[in-house]
Amino acid sequence: DTAVSQTPKYLVTQMGNDKSIKCEQNLGHDTMYWYKQDSKKFLKIMFSYNNKELIINETVPNRFSPKSPDKAHLNLHINSLELGDSAVYFCASSPRDGDYGYTFGSGTRLTVV
Amino acid sequence: GNSVTQMEGPVTLSEEAFLTINCTYTATGYPSLFWYVQYPGEGLQLLLKATKADDKGSNKGFEATYRKETTSFHLEKGSVQVSDSAVYFCALSDRARGNKLVFGAGTILRVKS
């Protein structure tokens, strides 16, 4: 059973399109995150939700909008895609206590052409 | 703000060589510290962690000790294998900001047979 699952694994789309990435966790964790990994492997947090409530919203263009319908799901919608949005996007989850670390999904590779 | 600095890679070793990947951090308070590993095409996996000063985390032959006096959490392994080739990330948990994980830039490890 996959603990944190993301779909799709690959996404190729044209500039200006709108796309969504879905994430689900079956670990019973309270908190979910979206991270962006650039071509140099650098990881940066985008958003964090705790039990459906937004708690971290880093400096991310407002074309990116997270949605958490329940604490097991955190989706990422991106409007008007740009070339610079090409990256690998990782979903992760953790218990409320940060000492346990995160469990990551396998990533979604987004390519904007 | 909180930050993590890792040695730059790539690090190239022969099989059975000794591995050290340096990691230092800057943080207010006392964060938890983590090492994550990312194999090609996969998400990040938690390798080991330490939650307080002088704790030693260990897993799969890898070790790291939380050194408050030098603000370091260096990763070591006595004898690397080709299968250890991956990207290694040091991270800290920012308890004041929703347990956000702050990552270092990652270190690529290549092990030759």
Side-chain angles (χ1 to χ4, degrees):
Chain A
D1 284 344
T2 304
V4 179
S5 59
Q6 294 178 231
T7 54
K9 190 168 175 63
Y10 300 98
L11 185 52
V12 181
T13 188
Q14 291 189 324
M15 274 196 306
N17 283 352
D18 303 338
K19 290 293 178 187
S20 292
I21 306 172
K22 295 187 175 182
C23 179
E24 175 182 5
Q25 56 98 1
N26 63 4
L27 298 165
H29 288 167
D30 290 313
T31 311
M32 296 185 73
Y33 311 82
W34 278 109
Y35 275 77
K36 180 180 179 181
Q37 185 174 47
D38 64 23
S39 59
K40 293 188 171 144
K41 303 289 188 186
F42 188 73
L43 282 153
K44 191 169 183 341
I45 192 167
M46 301 173 70
F47 301 104
S48 169
Y49 269 74
N50 189 354
N51 204 5
K52 300 194 297 175
E53 180 185 349
L54 180 67
I55 55 172
I56 294 175
N57 185 351
E58 294 290 296
T59 309
V60 176
N62 55 16
R63 298 182 295 103
F64 290 79
S65 52
K67 293 229 173 9
S68 181
D70 55 61
K71 79 172 194 177
H73 295 84
L74 180 61
N75 303 323
L76 183 65
H77 188 76
I78 316 169
N79 289 328
S80 304
L81 278 154
E82 300 177 358
L83 292 176
D85 298 331
S86 297
V88 182
Y89 292 84
F90 285 102
C91 178
S93 71
S94 73
R96 185 182 296 269
D97 184 340
D99 288 348
Y100 289 92
Y102 296 2
T103 302
F104 281 83
S106 58
T108 297
R109 181 175 293 277
L110 171 65
T111 304
V112 182
V113 297
Chain B
N2 295 348
S3 65
V4 175
T5 303
Q6 285 181 238
M7 64 188 286
E8 279 195 36
V11 173
T12 303
L13 296 172
S14 297
E15 214 166 14
E16 299 184 5
F18 185 86
L19 168 71
T20 301
I21 300 178
N22 290 339
C23 170
T24 56
Y25 67 90
T26 302
T28 52
Y30 303 102
S32 293
L33 301 173
F34 305 86
W35 277 100
Y36 281 82
V37 57
Q38 184 178 26
Y39 298 103
E42 297 184 14
L44 281 77
Q45 301 174 25
L46 179 62
L47 182 59
L48 54 84
K49 67 182 174 81
T51 58
K52 61 183 187 298
D54 300 325
D55 267 3
K56 178 189 278 189
S58 60
N59 186 23
K60 299 181 183 177
F62 291 90
E63 292 183 341
T65 301
Y66 190 143
R67 301 278 187 212
K68 192 176 102 175
E69 62 277 9
T70 53
T71 61
S72 65
F73 193 55
H74 304 321
L75 182 69
E76 295 182 337
K77 187 176 185 184
S79 175
V80 293
Q81 306 300 313
V82 172
S83 57
D84 293 327
S85 299
V87 184
Y88 291 81
F89 292 92
C90 186
L92 65 81
S93 177
D94 187 342
R95 293 194 178 106
R97 294 212 58 211
N99 291 318
K100 174 177 86 166
L101 271 186
V102 176
F103 285 91
T107 302
I108 297 172
L109 171 64
R110 297 185 180 131
V111 181
K112 307 177 298 185
S113 58

